[in-house]
Amino acid sequence: SGIIAKAQAASAALLGGEGGASVTVVNTLSFDREDVLYLDVPAGWRVAGGYPQQRVTDLYGGERLAVAGVRLPALGSVTLCLEEGETEEAPCPFAVDGNTVETGRLRLVLDPMGGIASYWDKLAGRELRGEGGLPLNTFLIAEDVPAAWDNWDVDADLEAKLRPTAALLERRVVSLGQVECRIRSTYRLTEKSTLCQDMVIYADSPDVAFFTRMNWQDDHRFLKAAFDPSLAVSQARQEIQFGCIQRSTARSSAEEKARFEVCNHKYTDLSETRYGAALLNDCKYGISLEGGSMRLSLHKGGRRPDWRGDKGVHDCAYAFHPHMGGFGAEAVVQPAYAFNVPPLAARGARPVEPLLTLAQDNVLVEAIKPMEDGGRAFLIRLYECEGATVHAQMRLGLDPIKVEETNLLEDVERELPRERTVRLTFRPFEIKSIKVTY
């Protein structure tokens, strides 16, 4: 996290432009996005233009201005003008009544133990908490003593030990305005460990995000967050590098029973043909699946080979993401990237022209980097993310001297037409590396 913070600070310094009464926000992803921005804007100032906005103090003590409705172009920027004044008064899009939170998109009923007892999607007209399942975001704790190497291994008997023993100590609304409703909860996980979490409900989104700080002081304990949505699915899609994998949600065969804990990167998605729900996360990559249930692994307190384990304060974030339609780039993959990669923001006006644009949403830019052999050239690494064959067009933001396709070692394999519009054909999950000399 320290390295990431330094990189973000260096990027912001590089982007710093002229004019103190403005802020430039840069989208480093290869698709347009319109999620909530959290900006370091001094008290007494706001963003001009009539955007919904509110002052927020996050779980980590940062004071931000939350701004909604700003559309950021792919690999480009938007400069927002600032003006003196507090955020404008406007009708609140949230109705909060005891344990119920309602927006135009959803209605949540919170459980006395801290979970979500009911999630009613108004647009789809369906209840998302599975019948007979645990409340969404129930914390499960188990004794964890693997046969060997308990800092690494997870044994199958762990699942039989998981119990919802976390106790809710406090829950209160800490921010309510035009953009979000933020509910802060404190839990006692065990006699030694505690957890504080901000549950964020957005005015114009079905997502519910959970920003989490754990003070972990236990040995041989395992913590999971349980989500049991009401979806009838036999397969789950889980992100792996440059694509996703489908895994059965059943436990019928010996092979399926052995997959009691599997890897997911930025998402696990359960989708019917016309509706689905994904669990997004920013750094917790272990999960267990059975039927329609998802159990995201949040922490493990092993002591071997390192007897100190992972005691201390740990931060993570994850989100429950319902979506209309089945699995797809726009429905799942792009929101997962956006959840993991916040926009860059810097004070001043420093317009960033898009380096490239893509016409197809299921082709993503994973990296743009200088060539290893130097020279006035850079490499664009792209891949197809849905598992489909697609003819894609990439429009460059500059006139290239040469355009070439390389392998992963950056050895040139073929020369492409020297045009701004680069036409490429991707097989399912294919990776392509394009060298652009300028």
Side-chain angles (χ1 to χ4, degrees):
S1 61
I3 293 174
I4 294 172
K6 289 180 180 179
Q8 290 173 339
S11 299
L14 183 64
L15 291 169
E18 298 179 356
S22 62
V23 59
T24 297
V25 186
V26 180
N27 176 18
T28 61
L29 298 174
S30 59
F31 52 86
D32 295 352
R33 60 191 296 182
E34 198 175 324
D35 41 332
V36 175
L37 304 178
Y38 292 91
L39 305 176
D40 290 319
V41 175
W45 288 79
R46 66 190 179 197
V47 173
Y51 296 106
Q53 52 196 295
Q54 74 184 81
R55 287 282 166 186
V56 172
T57 300
D58 63 27
L59 181 64
Y60 318 115
E63 295 184 3
R64 306 283 189 269
L65 182 67
V67 184
V70 180
R71 189 166 187 82
L72 301 177
L75 294 168
S77 72
V78 168
T79 297
L80 301 172
C81 295
L82 304 179
E83 62 185 12
E84 289 190 90
E86 299 298 330
T87 56
E88 298 177 356
E89 294 293 332
C92 182
F94 298 93
V96 181
D97 182 12
N99 289 334
T100 302
V101 181
E102 190 167 357
T103 72
R105 184 69 169 79
L106 56 85
R107 182 175 68 248
L108 299 185
V109 179
L110 305 182
D111 182 84
M113 294 304 294
I116 299 174
S118 172
Y119 182 123
W120 179 258
D121 186 329
K122 294 183 177 181
L123 186 61
R126 64 184 293 171
E127 171 62 49
L128 288 188
R129 179 195 171 179
E131 185 176 354
L134 292 169
L136 304 177
N137 196 44
T138 294
F139 293 116
L140 302 176
I141 303 168
E143 180 187 47
D144 177 39
V145 188
W149 308 113
D150 59 21
N151 272 17
W152 300 331
D153 288 0
V154 180
D155 286 355
D157 64 350
L158 174 77
E159 291 189 306
K161 303 176 186 177
L162 289 166
R163 296 289 185 273
T165 57
L168 179 65
L169 303 180
E170 181 188 26
R171 180 169 63 200
R172 58 193 175 95
V173 176
V174 295
S175 184
L176 185 66
Q178 297 182 54
V179 178
E180 66 168 45
C181 173
R182 184 175 292 255
I183 300 173
R184 186 162 297 162
S185 302
T186 303
Y187 298 85
R188 185 179 66 248
L189 299 176
T190 68
E191 292 182 357
K192 300 178 181 179
S193 300
T194 58
L195 182 148
C196 189
Q197 184 176 78
D198 278 3
M199 178 170 65
V200 180
I201 305 143
Y202 301 98
D204 296 318
S205 170
D207 291 10
V208 180
F210 304 91
F211 299 95
T212 308
R213 171 161 284 181
M214 296 169 276
N215 185 354
W216 188 267
Q217 301 297 332
D218 272 277
D219 297 323
H220 298 123
R221 294 291 183 273
F222 204 107
L223 174 65
K224 284 179 173 282
F227 289 81
D228 294 347
S230 57
L231 293 162
V233 296
S234 59
Q235 297 280 322
R237 284 183 175 86
Q238 298 172 309
E239 192 194 40
I240 57 176
Q241 190 174 23
F242 297 110
C244 64
I245 187 171
Q246 293 190 58
R247 293 185 174 110
S248 172
T249 60
R251 297 282 182 89
S252 301
S253 66
E255 291 81 3
E256 290 170 349
K257 291 176 182 178
R259 291 195 288 264
F260 58 87
E261 181 86 2
V262 295
C263 175
N264 73 157
H265 282 191
K266 292 187 283 292
Y267 64 81
T268 287
D269 179 64
L270 304 177
S271 280
E272 301 167 357
T273 57
R274 300 195 176 189
Y275 192 86
L279 193 56
L280 316 180
N281 83 94
D282 74 338
C283 65
K284 297 298 179 182
Y285 305 134
I287 195 169
S288 54
L289 300 169
E290 186 171 9
S293 70
M294 298 182 282
R295 306 282 193 264
L296 184 67
S297 299
L298 299 184
H299 205 74
K300 176 179 172 65
R303 286 177 56 86
R304 195 166 52 135
D306 185 352
W307 64 269
R308 296 167 298 180
D310 283 320
K311 293 182 180 178
V313 176
H314 300 267
D315 297 331
C316 68
Y318 53 95
F320 185 64
H321 171 68
H323 56 87
M324 302 300 291
F327 172 82
E330 188 174 358
V332 178
V333 184
Q334 291 182 0
Y337 268 84
F339 188 71
N340 276 264
V341 185
L344 300 176
R347 291 295 297 272
R350 180 73 178 271
V352 176
E353 294 299 324
L355 185 63
L356 62 90
T357 56
L358 289 163
Q360 284 67 37
D361 63 2
N362 61 322
V363 176
L364 299 178
V365 173
E366 179 66 16
I368 300 174
K369 61 180 288 294
M371 298 298 296
E372 293 296 322
D373 59 3
R376 288 181 58 83
F378 58 88
L379 190 82
I380 305 166
R381 185 154 290 138
L382 315 93
Y383 76 101
E384 194 285 319
C385 69
E386 287 182 349
T389 297
V390 61
H391 300 294
Q393 292 186 7
M394 178 174 67
R395 176 74 176 174
L396 297 174
L398 48 77
D399 291 317
I401 295 174
K402 187 183 292 186
V403 181
E404 299 163 301
E405 185 172 351
T406 78
N407 60 22
L408 292 177
L409 296 176
E410 303 185 9
D411 301 320
V412 173
E413 295 189 330
R414 68 186 180 110
E415 188 168 344
L416 302 174
R418 193 186 69 179
E419 299 173 351
R420 278 199 171 199
T421 300
V422 182
R423 293 171 175 82
L424 303 167
T425 297
F426 287 82
R427 299 189 303 274
F429 302 127
E430 184 178 4
I431 306 166
K432 287 187 180 293
S433 300
I434 306 300
K435 176 182 179 180
V436 178
T437 303
Y438 59 96

CSV table of all heavy atoms in Angstrom, one decimal, residues 21-65:
chain,number,residue,atom,x,y,z
A,21,ALA,N,-8.0,27.2,-9.1
A,21,ALA,CA,-9.4,27.0,-8.9
A,21,ALA,C,-10.0,25.9,-9.9
A,21,ALA,O,-11.1,26.1,-10.4
A,21,ALA,CB,-10.1,28.3,-9.2
A,22,SER,N,-9.2,24.9,-10.0
A,22,SER,CA,-9.7,23.8,-10.8
A,22,SER,C,-9.0,22.5,-10.4
A,22,SER,O,-8.0,22.5,-9.7
A,22,SER,CB,-9.5,24.0,-12.3
A,22,SER,OG,-8.1,24.2,-12.6
A,23,VAL,N,-9.5,21.4,-10.8
A,23,VAL,CA,-8.9,20.1,-10.6
A,23,VAL,C,-9.1,19.2,-11.8
A,23,VAL,O,-10.2,19.2,-12.5
A,23,VAL,CB,-9.6,19.4,-9.3
A,23,VAL,CG1,-11.1,19.2,-9.5
A,23,VAL,CG2,-8.9,18.1,-9.0
A,24,THR,N,-8.0,18.5,-12.2
A,24,THR,CA,-8.0,17.7,-13.4
A,24,THR,C,-8.1,16.2,-12.9
A,24,THR,O,-7.3,15.8,-12.1
A,24,THR,CB,-6.8,17.9,-14.3
A,24,THR,OG1,-6.8,19.2,-14.8
A,24,THR,CG2,-6.8,16.9,-15.4
A,25,VAL,N,-9.1,15.5,-13.5
A,25,VAL,CA,-9.3,14.1,-13.1
A,25,VAL,C,-9.0,13.2,-14.4
A,25,VAL,O,-9.5,13.5,-15.4
A,25,VAL,CB,-10.7,13.8,-12.7
A,25,VAL,CG1,-10.9,12.4,-12.2
A,25,VAL,CG2,-11.1,14.8,-11.6
A,26,VAL,N,-8.1,12.3,-14.2
A,26,VAL,CA,-7.6,11.4,-15.3
A,26,VAL,C,-8.1,10.0,-15.2
A,26,VAL,O,-7.9,9.4,-14.1
A,26,VAL,CB,-6.1,11.5,-15.4
A,26,VAL,CG1,-5.6,10.6,-16.6
A,26,VAL,CG2,-5.6,12.9,-15.6
A,27,ASN,N,-8.7,9.5,-16.2
A,27,ASN,CA,-9.1,8.1,-16.3
A,27,ASN,C,-8.0,7.3,-17.0
A,27,ASN,O,-7.7,7.4,-18.1
A,27,ASN,CB,-10.4,8.0,-17.1
A,27,ASN,CG,-10.9,6.6,-17.3
A,27,ASN,OD1,-10.4,5.6,-16.6
A,27,ASN,ND2,-11.8,6.3,-18.2
A,28,THR,N,-7.4,6.4,-16.2
A,28,THR,CA,-6.3,5.5,-16.8
A,28,THR,C,-6.8,4.2,-17.3
A,28,THR,O,-6.0,3.4,-17.8
A,28,THR,CB,-5.2,5.3,-15.7
A,28,THR,OG1,-5.9,4.5,-14.6
A,28,THR,CG2,-4.6,6.5,-15.1
A,29,LEU,N,-8.1,4.0,-17.4
A,29,LEU,CA,-8.7,2.8,-17.9
A,29,LEU,C,-9.1,3.1,-19.4
A,29,LEU,O,-9.3,4.2,-19.8
A,29,LEU,CB,-9.9,2.4,-17.1
A,29,LEU,CG,-9.5,2.0,-15.7
A,29,LEU,CD1,-10.8,1.7,-14.9
A,29,LEU,CD2,-8.5,0.8,-15.6
A,30,SER,N,-9.3,2.0,-20.1
A,30,SER,CA,-9.5,2.1,-21.6
A,30,SER,C,-11.0,2.1,-22.0
A,30,SER,O,-11.3,1.9,-23.1
A,30,SER,CB,-8.8,0.9,-22.3
A,30,SER,OG,-9.3,-0.3,-21.9
A,31,PHE,N,-11.8,2.5,-21.0
A,31,PHE,CA,-13.2,2.6,-21.3
A,31,PHE,C,-13.7,3.9,-20.5
A,31,PHE,O,-13.2,4.2,-19.5
A,31,PHE,CB,-14.0,1.4,-20.9
A,31,PHE,CG,-13.8,0.9,-19.5
A,31,PHE,CD1,-14.5,1.4,-18.4
A,31,PHE,CD2,-12.8,-0.1,-19.2
A,31,PHE,CE1,-14.2,1.0,-17.1
A,31,PHE,CE2,-12.6,-0.5,-18.0
A,31,PHE,CZ,-13.3,0.0,-16.9
A,32,ASP,N,-14.8,4.5,-21.0
A,32,ASP,CA,-15.4,5.6,-20.3
A,32,ASP,C,-16.0,5.1,-19.0
A,32,ASP,O,-16.5,4.0,-18.8
A,32,ASP,CB,-16.6,6.2,-21.1
A,32,ASP,CG,-16.1,6.8,-22.4
A,32,ASP,OD1,-14.8,6.9,-22.6
A,32,ASP,OD2,-16.9,7.2,-23.3
A,33,ARG,N,-16.0,6.0,-18.0
A,33,ARG,CA,-16.5,5.6,-16.7
A,33,ARG,C,-17.2,6.8,-16.1
A,33,ARG,O,-17.0,8.0,-16.4
A,33,ARG,CB,-15.4,5.2,-15.8
A,33,ARG,CG,-14.3,6.2,-15.5
A,33,ARG,CD,-13.1,5.6,-14.8
A,33,ARG,NE,-13.4,5.1,-13.5
A,33,ARG,CZ,-12.4,4.6,-12.7
A,33,ARG,NH1,-11.2,4.6,-13.1
A,33,ARG,NH2,-12.7,4.2,-11.5
A,34,GLU,N,-18.2,6.5,-15.2
A,34,GLU,CA,-19.0,7.6,-14.5
A,34,GLU,C,-19.3,7.2,-13.1
A,34,GLU,O,-20.4,7.4,-12.6
A,34,GLU,CB,-20.3,7.8,-15.3
A,34,GLU,CG,-21.0,9.1,-15.0
A,34,GLU,CD,-22.2,9.4,-15.9
A,34,GLU,OE1,-22.2,9.0,-17.1
A,34,GLU,OE2,-23.1,10.0,-15.4
A,35,ASP,N,-18.3,6.6,-12.4
A,35,ASP,CA,-18.5,6.3,-11.0
A,35,ASP,C,-18.2,7.6,-10.1
A,35,ASP,O,-17.8,8.6,-10.6
A,35,ASP,CB,-17.6,5.2,-10.6
A,35,ASP,CG,-16.2,5.2,-11.1
A,35,ASP,OD1,-16.0,5.8,-12.2
A,35,ASP,OD2,-15.2,4.7,-10.5
A,36,VAL,N,-18.5,7.4,-8.8
A,36,VAL,CA,-18.3,8.6,-7.9
A,36,VAL,C,-16.9,8.9,-7.8
A,36,VAL,O,-16.0,8.1,-7.6
A,36,VAL,CB,-18.9,8.2,-6.6
A,36,VAL,CG1,-18.7,9.4,-5.6
A,36,VAL,CG2,-20.4,8.0,-6.7
A,37,LEU,N,-16.6,10.2,-7.8
A,37,LEU,CA,-15.2,10.7,-7.6
A,37,LEU,C,-15.1,11.2,-6.2
A,37,LEU,O,-16.0,11.8,-5.6
A,37,LEU,CB,-14.9,11.9,-8.6
A,37,LEU,CG,-15.1,11.7,-10.1
A,37,LEU,CD1,-14.9,13.0,-10.8
A,37,LEU,CD2,-14.2,10.6,-10.6
A,38,TYR,N,-13.9,11.0,-5.6
A,38,TYR,CA,-13.6,11.5,-4.3
A,38,TYR,C,-12.4,12.4,-4.4
A,38,TYR,O,-11.3,11.9,-4.6
A,38,TYR,CB,-13.4,10.3,-3.3
A,38,TYR,CG,-14.6,9.5,-3.0
A,38,TYR,CD1,-15.0,8.4,-3.8
A,38,TYR,CD2,-15.5,9.8,-2.0
A,38,TYR,CE1,-16.1,7.7,-3.6
A,38,TYR,CE2,-16.6,9.1,-1.8
A,38,TYR,CZ,-17.0,8.0,-2.6
A,38,TYR,OH,-18.1,7.3,-2.3
A,39,LEU,N,-12.6,13.7,-4.2
A,39,LEU,CA,-11.6,14.7,-4.6
A,39,LEU,C,-11.1,15.4,-3.3
A,39,LEU,O,-11.9,15.6,-2.4
A,39,LEU,CB,-12.2,15.7,-5.5
A,39,LEU,CG,-12.8,15.1,-6.8
A,39,LEU,CD1,-13.4,16.2,-7.7
A,39,LEU,CD2,-11.7,14.4,-7.6
A,40,ASP,N,-9.8,15.7,-3.3
A,40,ASP,CA,-9.3,16.5,-2.2
A,40,ASP,C,-9.5,18.0,-2.5
A,40,ASP,O,-8.7,18.7,-3.1
A,40,ASP,CB,-7.8,16.3,-2.1
A,40,ASP,CG,-7.5,14.9,-1.5
A,40,ASP,OD1,-8.2,14.4,-0.6
A,40,ASP,OD2,-6.6,14.2,-2.0
A,41,VAL,N,-10.7,18.5,-2.2
A,41,VAL,CA,-11.1,19.9,-2.4
A,41,VAL,C,-11.2,20.5,-1.0
A,41,VAL,O,-11.9,20.0,-0.1
A,41,VAL,CB,-12.4,19.9,-3.2
A,41,VAL,CG1,-12.9,21.4,-3.3
A,41,VAL,CG2,-12.2,19.3,-4.6
A,42,PRO,N,-10.6,21.7,-0.8
A,42,PRO,CA,-10.6,22.3,0.6
A,42,PRO,C,-12.1,22.6,1.0
A,42,PRO,O,-13.0,22.8,0.2
A,42,PRO,CB,-9.8,23.6,0.4
A,42,PRO,CG,-9.0,23.3,-0.9
A,42,PRO,CD,-9.8,22.4,-1.7
A,43,ALA,N,-12.3,22.6,2.3
A,43,ALA,CA,-13.6,23.0,2.8
A,43,ALA,C,-13.9,24.4,2.4
A,43,ALA,O,-13.0,25.3,2.3
A,43,ALA,CB,-13.5,22.9,4.4
A,44,GLY,N,-15.2,24.6,2.1
A,44,GLY,CA,-15.6,25.9,1.6
A,44,GLY,C,-15.6,26.1,0.1
A,44,GLY,O,-15.9,27.1,-0.4
A,45,TRP,N,-15.2,25.0,-0.6
A,45,TRP,CA,-15.1,25.0,-2.0
A,45,TRP,C,-16.0,23.8,-2.5
A,45,TRP,O,-16.1,22.8,-1.8
A,45,TRP,CB,-13.7,24.9,-2.5
A,45,TRP,CG,-12.9,26.1,-2.3
A,45,TRP,CD1,-12.3,26.5,-1.2
A,45,TRP,CD2,-12.6,27.1,-3.3
A,45,TRP,NE1,-11.6,27.7,-1.4
A,45,TRP,CE2,-11.8,28.1,-2.7
A,45,TRP,CE3,-12.9,27.3,-4.7
A,45,TRP,CZ2,-11.3,29.2,-3.4
A,45,TRP,CZ3,-12.4,28.4,-5.4
A,45,TRP,CH2,-11.6,29.3,-4.7
A,46,ARG,N,-16.5,24.0,-3.7
A,46,ARG,CA,-17.2,22.9,-4.4
A,46,ARG,C,-16.9,22.9,-5.9
A,46,ARG,O,-16.3,23.8,-6.4
A,46,ARG,CB,-18.7,23.1,-4.1
A,46,ARG,CG,-19.3,24.4,-4.8
A,46,ARG,CD,-20.7,24.7,-4.4
A,46,ARG,NE,-21.2,25.9,-5.0
A,46,ARG,CZ,-22.2,26.6,-4.6
A,46,ARG,NH1,-22.9,26.2,-3.5
A,46,ARG,NH2,-22.6,27.7,-5.2
A,47,VAL,N,-17.4,21.9,-6.5
A,47,VAL,CA,-17.3,21.8,-8.0
A,47,VAL,C,-18.4,22.5,-8.7
A,47,VAL,O,-19.6,22.3,-8.3
A,47,VAL,CB,-17.2,20.3,-8.4
A,47,VAL,CG1,-17.3,20.1,-9.9
A,47,VAL,CG2,-16.0,19.6,-7.9
A,48,ALA,N,-18.1,23.4,-9.6
A,48,ALA,CA,-19.1,24.1,-10.3
A,48,ALA,C,-19.8,23.2,-11.4
A,48,ALA,O,-19.2,22.2,-11.8
A,48,ALA,CB,-18.5,25.3,-11.0
A,49,GLY,N,-21.0,23.6,-11.7
A,49,GLY,CA,-21.6,22.8,-12.8
A,49,GLY,C,-22.9,22.1,-12.4
A,49,GLY,O,-23.5,21.4,-13.2
A,50,GLY,N,-23.3,22.2,-11.1
A,50,GLY,CA,-24.5,21.5,-10.7
A,50,GLY,C,-24.4,20.0,-10.5
A,50,GLY,O,-25.4,19.3,-10.5
A,51,TYR,N,-23.2,19.5,-10.3
A,51,TYR,CA,-23.1,18.1,-10.1
A,51,TYR,C,-23.5,17.7,-8.7
A,51,TYR,O,-23.3,18.5,-7.7
A,51,TYR,CB,-21.6,17.6,-10.2
A,51,TYR,CG,-21.0,17.8,-11.6
A,51,TYR,CD1,-20.1,18.8,-11.9
A,51,TYR,CD2,-21.4,16.9,-12.6
A,51,TYR,CE1,-19.6,18.9,-13.1
A,51,TYR,CE2,-20.8,17.0,-13.9
A,51,TYR,CZ,-19.9,18.0,-14.1
A,51,TYR,OH,-19.4,18.2,-15.4
A,52,PRO,N,-24.2,16.6,-8.4
A,52,PRO,CA,-24.5,16.1,-7.1
A,52,PRO,C,-23.1,15.9,-6.3
A,52,PRO,O,-22.2,15.3,-6.9
A,52,PRO,CB,-25.2,14.8,-7.3
A,52,PRO,CG,-25.7,14.8,-8.7
A,52,PRO,CD,-24.7,15.7,-9.5
A,53,GLN,N,-23.1,16.5,-5.1
A,53,GLN,CA,-21.8,16.3,-4.4
A,53,GLN,C,-22.1,16.5,-2.9
A,53,GLN,O,-23.1,17.1,-2.5
A,53,GLN,CB,-20.8,17.4,-4.8
A,53,GLN,CG,-21.3,18.8,-4.9
A,53,GLN,CD,-20.4,19.7,-5.7
A,53,GLN,OE1,-19.3,20.0,-5.3
A,53,GLN,NE2,-20.9,20.2,-6.8
A,54,GLN,N,-21.2,15.9,-2.1
A,54,GLN,CA,-21.3,16.0,-0.6
A,54,GLN,C,-20.0,15.8,0.0
A,54,GLN,O,-19.1,15.2,-0.5
A,54,GLN,CB,-22.3,15.0,-0.1
A,54,GLN,CG,-21.8,13.6,0.0
A,54,GLN,CD,-22.9,12.6,0.4
A,54,GLN,OE1,-23.7,12.2,-0.4
A,54,GLN,NE2,-22.8,12.2,1.7
A,55,ARG,N,-19.8,16.4,1.2
A,55,ARG,CA,-18.6,16.2,2.0
A,55,ARG,C,-18.7,14.8,2.7
A,55,ARG,O,-19.7,14.5,3.3
A,55,ARG,CB,-18.5,17.3,3.1
A,55,ARG,CG,-18.1,18.6,2.5
A,55,ARG,CD,-16.6,18.7,2.2
A,55,ARG,NE,-16.3,19.8,1.4
A,55,ARG,CZ,-15.1,20.1,0.9
A,55,ARG,NH1,-14.1,19.2,1.1
A,55,ARG,NH2,-14.8,21.1,0.1
A,56,VAL,N,-17.5,14.1,2.7
A,56,VAL,CA,-17.4,12.8,3.2
A,56,VAL,C,-16.1,12.7,4.0
A,56,VAL,O,-15.1,13.1,3.5
A,56,VAL,CB,-17.5,11.7,2.1
A,56,VAL,CG1,-17.2,10.3,2.7
A,56,VAL,CG2,-18.8,11.7,1.4
A,57,THR,N,-16.2,12.1,5.2
A,57,THR,CA,-15.0,11.6,5.9
A,57,THR,C,-15.0,10.1,5.9
A,57,THR,O,-15.9,9.4,6.4
A,57,THR,CB,-15.0,12.1,7.4
A,57,THR,OG1,-15.0,13.6,7.4
A,57,THR,CG2,-13.7,11.7,8.1
A,58,ASP,N,-14.0,9.5,5.2
A,58,ASP,CA,-14.0,8.1,5.0
A,58,ASP,C,-13.5,7.4,6.3
A,58,ASP,O,-13.1,8.0,7.3
A,58,ASP,CB,-13.2,7.7,3.8
A,58,ASP,CG,-11.7,8.1,3.9
A,58,ASP,OD1,-11.1,8.1,5.0
A,58,ASP,OD2,-11.0,8.3,2.8
A,59,LEU,N,-13.5,6.0,6.2
A,59,LEU,CA,-13.1,5.2,7.3
A,59,LEU,C,-11.7,5.4,7.8
A,59,LEU,O,-11.4,5.2,9.0
A,59,LEU,CB,-13.3,3.7,6.9
A,59,LEU,CG,-13.0,2.6,7.9
A,59,LEU,CD1,-13.9,2.7,9.1
A,59,LEU,CD2,-13.0,1.3,7.2
A,60,TYR,N,-10.8,5.9,6.9
A,60,TYR,CA,-9.4,6.1,7.2
A,60,TYR,C,-9.1,7.5,7.6
A,60,TYR,O,-7.9,7.9,7.7
A,60,TYR,CB,-8.6,5.7,6.0
A,60,TYR,CG,-9.1,4.4,5.4
A,60,TYR,CD1,-9.6,4.4,4.1
A,60,TYR,CD2,-9.1,3.2,6.1
A,60,TYR,CE1,-10.1,3.3,3.5
A,60,TYR,CE2,-9.7,2.1,5.6
A,60,TYR,CZ,-10.1,2.1,4.3
A,60,TYR,OH,-10.7,0.9,3.7
A,61,GLY,N,-10.1,8.4,7.9
A,61,GLY,CA,-9.9,9.7,8.3
A,61,GLY,C,-9.7,10.8,7.2
A,61,GLY,O,-9.6,11.9,7.5
A,62,GLY,N,-9.8,10.4,6.0
A,62,GLY,CA,-9.6,11.3,4.9
A,62,GLY,C,-10.9,12.1,4.6
A,62,GLY,O,-12.0,11.5,4.6
A,63,GLU,N,-10.8,13.4,4.5
A,63,GLU,CA,-11.9,14.3,4.2
A,63,GLU,C,-11.9,14.5,2.7
A,63,GLU,O,-11.0,15.0,2.1
A,63,GLU,CB,-11.8,15.6,5.0
A,63,GLU,CG,-11.9,15.4,6.5
A,63,GLU,CD,-11.9,16.7,7.2
A,63,GLU,OE1,-11.9,17.8,6.5
A,63,GLU,OE2,-12.0,16.7,8.4
A,64,ARG,N,-13.0,14.2,2.0
A,64,ARG,CA,-13.1,14.2,0.6
A,64,ARG,C,-14.4,14.9,0.2
A,64,ARG,O,-15.4,15.0,1.0
A,64,ARG,CB,-13.1,12.8,0.0
A,64,ARG,CG,-11.9,12.0,0.3
A,64,ARG,CD,-10.6,12.4,-0.4
A,64,ARG,NE,-9.6,11.4,-0.2
A,64,ARG,CZ,-8.7,11.6,0.8
A,64,ARG,NH1,-8.8,12.6,1.6
A,64,ARG,NH2,-7.7,10.7,0.9
A,65,LEU,N,-14.4,15.4,-1.1
A,65,LEU,CA,-15.7,15.8,-1.7
A,65,LEU,C,-16.1,14.8,-2.7
A,65,LEU,O,-15.4,14.5,-3.6
A,65,LEU,CB,-15.4,17.2,-2.4
A,65,LEU,CG,-16.7,17.8,-3.1
A,65,LEU,CD1,-17.7,18.2,-2.0
A,65,LEU,CD2,-16.3,19.0,-4.0
